Amino acid sequence: MSSSSEKKKPRVAIHSITGCAGCQLVIYFIRDKLLELLGEIDLVAAPMIKGKNEEGPYDICFVEGLVASQRDLENLKKWREQSKFLVAWGTCATHGNVPGIKIFMDEKQVEEAVYKDKSNLTGENTPLKPTPLEAHVRIDYRISGCPPEEIEFLRMMQHFLMDMKPVVYNEPVCVECTQREIKCLLEDGKECLGPMIRGGCDALCPVVNHGCTGCHGPLEDANIPQMLKLLKANGIPKELVKQRLQKYAGAKFEELGADIR
Ligand code: SF4
Ligand code: SF4
Ligand code: SF4
């Protein structure tokens, strides 16, 4: 009988495309727990912290960022082919958030502001409409957050290591508020999008008396018309909700329905 120490370690990769690197940093800042985890996995590719990185096959590949260029797209497709499980890590990857704000602006103006010289925007540098990973490849798991929480990474890795199907938390922020016995900010007329936003952050903002601005992106089954009614009744204008959702729901904003547009 083979002992657990003889079990083949899963080959793990942490890759990124267009984003700010904040989602990867969450993983690297776990430090002690990550070091512990490194005894049980082979971190074969993590270009942000390793000089030597291996191509697949990968058992698990985390991808941070959204597709905004031809290079992003080619890399993403390659990692999909090389990976057993592909995880969209962070709201850029799941929704196409902050860098996707370009979608709501004049494309020409944005490119002129960002690029002094546009002559090299060809080949793999060709800009593409910012889109989440699922617009291009099959995704096995989505963990949103700008950035996501370290506990969600650790929980997912634990499930993989125990050969369990990972379960991603999928309740609104309000549930964690209730669990932490936080007085609802809406009662005091404060802005909070918590009812329509995926939690998993342990109500990080409401706990410090700050309304949820929606960084985990909207829940897939969020009842937007109902939420808008509730927020309006609490003095929160639709325009503000729209701005927040454009920032974090990004490329998936259009899918939220006509009520918010
Ligand atoms: S989700 Fe937020 S933290 Fe992560 S890469 Fe995008 S902008 Fe950065
Ligand atoms: S403070 Fe926000 S997240 Fe918390 S219960 Fe109220 S609406 Fe929900
Ligand atoms: S409360 Fe909202 S904005 Fe704050 S970390 Fe959680 S999901 Fe993000």
Side-chain angles (χ1 to χ4, degrees), residues 15-25 62-66 89 92-93:
H15 280 301
S16 103
I17 46 179
T18 298
C20 77
C23 293
Q24 289 178 82
L25 285 175
F62 288 83
V63 179
E64 167 205 78
L66 51 69
W89 178 241
C92 280

Side-chain angles (χ1 to χ4, degrees), residues 111-124:
E111 285 183 0
E112 266 157 27
V114 174
Y115 306 107
K116 276 197 178 127
D117 174 13
K118 291 201 282 175
S119 64
N120 66 349
L121 296 182
T122 57
E124 59 174 20

Side-chain angles (χ1 to χ4, degrees), residues 127-188:
L128 300 180
K129 181 183 173 188
T131 31
L133 309 191
E134 68 186 29
H136 306 280
V137 297
R138 179 176 55 80
I139 300 298
D140 297 296
Y141 298 100
R142 294 169 184 77
I143 303 187
S144 60
C146 183
E149 309 304 315
E150 63 175 53
I151 184 71
E152 298 214 77
F153 172 78
L154 291 171
R155 196 187 297 131
M156 174 159 276
M157 290 308 302
Q158 196 178 31
H159 288 170
F160 275 126
L161 288 168
M162 292 169 76
D163 291 328
M164 286 166 61
K165 185 174 160 51
V167 177
V168 178
Y169 187 83
N170 195 35
E171 301 290 345
V173 181
C174 299
V175 170
E176 288 162 316
C177 263
T178 308
Q179 285 165 350
R180 298 191 69 174
E181 299 183 2
I182 298 165
K183 184 183 175 221
C184 181
L185 299 174
L186 292 178
E187 288 175 23
D188 294 333

